[in-house]
């Protein structure tokens, strides 16, 4: 196993969840990939007046925000995992990335409405193993 992907969508996993998946990837000798998906970046608090020419700036801002969220989890001096930002349908985004990046294991959380529909759809659409992570309450 060489590549593990954790998906972060509308429901954010806890720092402990991300650390546990990172430890799992390290234990397997695999590279950790972290994918953030947003169905509609403009509905997530980004400026509604952004036109098509401004979308690369929105994407860059989303990546910077993702790095800022991960930095405290991994530490200031640690190398961050591979980060992928995708917009649109999360199932399609995850499945496409899993194929393109040769992902061996996808980890998704089971919290929130999005996650409950995500896991079953991924079973049909992805070429690799799927681990569903139940968040502690």
């Amino acid at each position: 196993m060489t590549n593990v992907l954790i998906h972060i969508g509308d429901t954010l996993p806890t720092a402990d969840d991300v650390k546990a998946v990172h430890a799992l990837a390290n234990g397997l000798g695999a590279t950790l990939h972290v994918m953030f998906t947003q169905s509609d970046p403009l509905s997530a608090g980004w400026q509604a007046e952004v036109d098509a020419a401004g979308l690369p700036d929105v994407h860059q801002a989303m990546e910077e925000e993702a790095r800022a969220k991960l930095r405290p989890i991994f530490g200031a001096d640690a190398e961050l995992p591979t980060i992928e930002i995708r917009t649109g349908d999360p199932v399609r985004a995850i499945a496409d990335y899993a194929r393109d990046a040769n992902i061996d294991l996808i980890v998704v959380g089971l919290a929130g409405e999005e996650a409950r529909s995500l896991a079953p759809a991924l079973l049909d659409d992805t070429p690799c193993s799927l681990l569903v992570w139940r968040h502690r309450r």
Side-chain angles (χ1 to χ4, degrees):
M1 189 164 294
T2 58
N3 292 294
V4 174
L5 171 68
I6 183 172
H7 171 256
I8 299 176
D10 294 338
T11 304
L12 293 175
T14 67
D16 288 341
D17 292 343
V18 175
K19 286 178 184 178
V21 174
H22 185 238
L24 172 68
N26 283 342
L28 296 169
T31 300
L32 179 63
H33 300 248
V34 179
M35 174 182 278
F36 289 82
T37 60
Q38 181 58 247
S39 298
D40 179 5
L42 300 180
S43 70
W46 298 98
Q47 295 297 332
E49 285 83 33
V50 173
D51 60 12
L55 287 177
D57 293 334
V58 171
H59 190 273
Q60 182 177 354
M62 289 171 70
E63 186 168 337
E64 289 170 8
E65 184 178 307
R67 289 185 186 287
K69 288 178 181 176
L70 291 176
R71 179 58 57 207
I73 295 171
F74 290 95
D77 298 328
E79 183 177 334
L80 289 178
T82 301
I83 297 174
E84 181 68 18
I85 306 294
R86 298 279 176 111
T87 57
D89 175 42
V91 173
R92 180 64 25 230
I94 295 167
D96 289 348
Y97 185 76
R99 281 187 207 69
D100 294 346
N102 296 315
I103 299 296
D104 301 297
L105 174 66
I106 298 170
V107 180
V108 295
L110 188 60
E113 196 59 39
E114 176 197 54
R116 286 187 172 82
S117 63
L118 186 65
L122 286 172
L123 284 171
D124 293 333
D125 285 352
T126 55
C128 59
S129 297
L130 178 67
L131 172 64
V132 178
W133 188 274
R134 184 176 299 276
H135 297 280
R136 294 182 188 172
R137 295 182 184 164

